[in-house]
Amino acid sequence: WISQESAGKAIYTVAATIPEASGPDTWITRPSSPTTSGPPMTAQCKGRTNAGERCTRMTKSKNGYCCEAHRLSGEEKHESKATVADLSADSPLAVLREFIDDNELDVSKATGGHNCRTCADIFEDIKAAMPPSGGTELTELALAHREHSEETSAHACSFFFVHRKTILSSQEKTLPRFQELEQAGKLVKRLLTREEAFSGDLADTHLAVSHRWFQANEPDEDGEQLRAVQEYLKENLSVEWVWYDFWCMPQEPRTEVEDARFRHMLGNINLLYLGFKVLLLLDMSYISRFWTQFEAWLSFQQATTKGLQPASEDARRVDIVPIKNGLDFKEGLVRFWKTKTPDEAFAKLSDTDVSVTNESDKRNQLPKIKNLDKEVKEALKTRALSNVLAKLDLKA
């Protein structure tokens, strides 16, 4: 990945591959050199993933593990043993660690609800942090990682939105994907904090659409979902900004920067469905999909200082619009989710009859459900305290 000289120190080429399946491969190699001693740095993780499978990651830690799985209170927690700080002092990667430290890059990130740092993640951060050969500026990918790290530390996430005028004025069968809308200047980026989301302050002006994808690369090929959104906006004049995943998240094929953006937003998707008004486009298959059911449950919840509570009928933020053959399932969907607690939602969504295209999405999102109650309490209590202190300052 890297081959250059800096400040008189040799930075050796580090070759790393992540095979599809585990095996006796050499995953990290430090080439022999007159200025280094000892054998090449080679290791294969001896641990197992949180799915119980042999870990297929590379490892730099001395103990030969990059991850172990622990089952706590019915919830699997993926714990990384390898961190940038574990790099051995004589490793050429230690130079990269110095670069990261000197530039105050935070490479400790939480992914998918786990405090998880696999070796592959660390290598991606190191690779992203390095300037191009001979250069000193951080790459665009490194800047994206830094922005995401700063936002995570602040319990926030930047999302992209489409303005109602763009949607209502469209004469196309359906709106194009994120990349085309961004290039055309049709998207607006804004930072959303968890306090802002959980407070419900944005529910009148911001809308999140919950829907199923009818094709793998196009969720709304016949435009029925766009027409439903347009009709909704005509009837709900207070809604200014709309979030719909195909329009507002980078779609495949993605660049490295776009993929980093996508993963960061995906990990914070609950902020949208807990804090905004939700338009639920219900078809027959909606009730069997993990993402749609997760979003539906979130939309029936209300954030309070006591944690998540099922919203009363008057306080609900969700509007259900049946499309295709969804009309007969509306009452059943409401009855199924309207009173579910976080623990009950976790149990229901964990069932094998709730399908998902990418199984890792389900593994990563489920643990968040159990943490949401605590997060909501902390966020709203912090907000309440801030409001009290602000009033005291005004009186002073």
Side-chain angles (χ1 to χ4, degrees):
W1 283 343
I2 301 127
S3 181
Q4 64 174 351
E5 289 194 0
S6 174
K9 297 180 180 179
I11 302 179
Y12 304 100
T13 300
V14 179
T17 59
I18 307 174
E20 291 296 324
S22 58
D25 305 84
T26 295
W27 291 358
I28 304 178
T29 303
R30 181 181 68 197
S32 302
S33 167
T35 59
T36 62
S37 59
M41 179 178 163
T42 61
Q44 176 180 331
C45 178
K46 300 175 183 177
R48 294 189 176 273
T49 68
N50 58 339
E53 301 167 347
R54 177 67 184 235
C55 179
T56 59
R57 303 292 189 181
M58 48 198 167
T59 177
K60 301 183 293 298
S61 59
K62 296 177 182 178
N63 58 19
Y65 289 87
C66 79
C67 60
E68 292 180 342
H70 298 280
R71 189 180 294 274
L72 300 173
S73 303
E75 162 186 357
E76 290 179 334
K77 200 168 186 180
H78 195 187
E79 189 172 304
S80 172
K81 291 287 186 180
T83 65
V84 173
D86 289 332
L87 298 176
S88 58
D90 65 342
S91 165
L93 294 177
V95 180
L96 307 190
R97 180 187 63 195
E98 291 176 9
F99 176 85
I100 291 173
D101 291 342
D102 290 344
N103 288 274
E104 298 180 346
L105 295 178
D106 184 0
V107 296
S108 60
K109 62 183 179 182
T111 58
H114 303 278
N115 294 320
C116 172
R117 292 289 295 144
T118 63
C119 298
D121 290 332
I122 296 169
F123 259 99
E124 285 301 313
D125 288 336
I126 292 174
K127 177 185 175 184
M130 288 303 297
S133 180
T136 58
E137 296 297 321
L138 294 180
T139 65
E140 185 180 1
L141 182 57
L143 292 173
H145 276 298
R146 182 162 67 181
E147 176 185 301
H148 300 162
S149 177
E150 290 170 351
E151 290 183 1
T152 299
S153 298
H155 303 294
C157 180
S158 289
F159 290 98
F160 291 82
F161 299 91
V162 185
H163 194 267
R164 62 179 288 118
K165 291 182 179 178
T166 300
I167 297 171
L168 290 173
S169 63
S170 175
Q171 301 299 314
E172 302 296 328
K173 181 182 290 187
T174 185
L175 288 184
R177 68 186 191 133
F178 171 91
Q179 285 89 334
E180 293 177 42
L181 288 172
E182 184 181 37
Q183 188 174 15
K186 299 296 185 180
L187 296 176
V188 172
K189 181 182 178 181
R190 69 154 296 169
L191 182 69
L192 178 65
T193 67
R194 72 176 186 181
E195 288 81 6
E196 193 176 28
F198 297 159
S199 70
D201 290 349
L202 301 175
D204 286 338
T205 57
H206 288 66
L207 176 72
V209 182
S210 178
H211 65 99
R212 192 173 67 84
W213 283 55
F214 294 127
Q215 301 293 334
N217 60 347
E218 170 59 74
D220 187 30
E221 192 171 38
D222 61 7
E224 187 171 359
Q225 294 183 9
L226 173 60
R227 292 193 296 273
V229 174
Q230 289 173 328
E231 289 303 314
Y232 185 87
L233 291 176
K234 291 175 184 177
E235 297 172 4
N236 293 267
L237 302 181
S238 66
V239 175
E240 290 288 329
W241 302 101
V242 177
W243 188 91
Y244 178 101
D245 54 5
F246 186 69
W247 308 336
C248 300
M249 296 177 75
Q251 301 301 312
E252 293 183 339
R254 293 186 284 262
T255 66
E256 285 185 314
V257 174
E258 289 170 345
D259 192 60
R261 273 180 174 179
F262 177 85
R263 288 186 288 112
H264 179 53
M265 287 187 274
L266 191 68
N268 291 280
I269 215 81
N270 57 285
L271 296 179
L272 303 174
Y273 291 96
L274 272 177
F276 293 177
K277 193 184 294 291
V278 177
L279 173 59
L280 192 158
L281 301 180
L282 177 64
D283 70 286
M284 186 183 292
S285 296
Y286 184 101
I287 60 175
S288 66
R289 306 296 298 176
F290 171 76
W291 273 112
T292 50
Q293 291 299 288
F294 181 40
E295 293 160 4
W297 173 72
L298 290 171
S299 70
F300 279 101
Q301 295 295 301
Q302 183 176 12
T304 74
T305 53
K306 295 180 180 180
L308 285 177
Q309 303 284 331
S312 65
E313 191 168 349
D314 291 340
R316 281 182 198 157
R317 298 168 290 103
V318 59
D319 289 307
I320 302 174
V321 175
I323 59 175
K324 300 192 182 297
N325 298 308
L327 182 61
D328 293 337
F329 299 93
K330 182 176 179 179
E331 290 184 8
L333 180 75
V334 174
R335 188 168 55 251
F336 188 80
W337 285 121
K338 67 178 182 179
T339 61
K340 292 293 186 292
T341 66
D343 285 342
E344 290 171 332
F346 180 91
K348 294 294 184 184
L349 292 171
S350 298
D351 284 345
T352 55
D353 62 348
V354 180
S355 58
V356 64
T357 302
N358 297 313
E359 198 62 37
S360 61
D361 287 349
K362 194 172 182 178
R363 289 198 304 269
N364 291 337
Q365 294 298 325
L366 278 173
K368 291 187 176 183
I369 295 176
K370 292 197 172 184
N371 294 329
L372 271 177
D373 199 55
K374 179 181 177 182
E375 286 185 25
V376 167
K377 290 178 185 177
E378 290 177 351
L380 293 186
K381 286 180 180 178
T382 299
R383 182 183 174 89
L385 179 60
S386 298
N387 290 339
V388 170
L389 294 175
K391 289 179 181 178
L392 291 175
D393 283 344
L394 287 175
K395 289 181 180 180

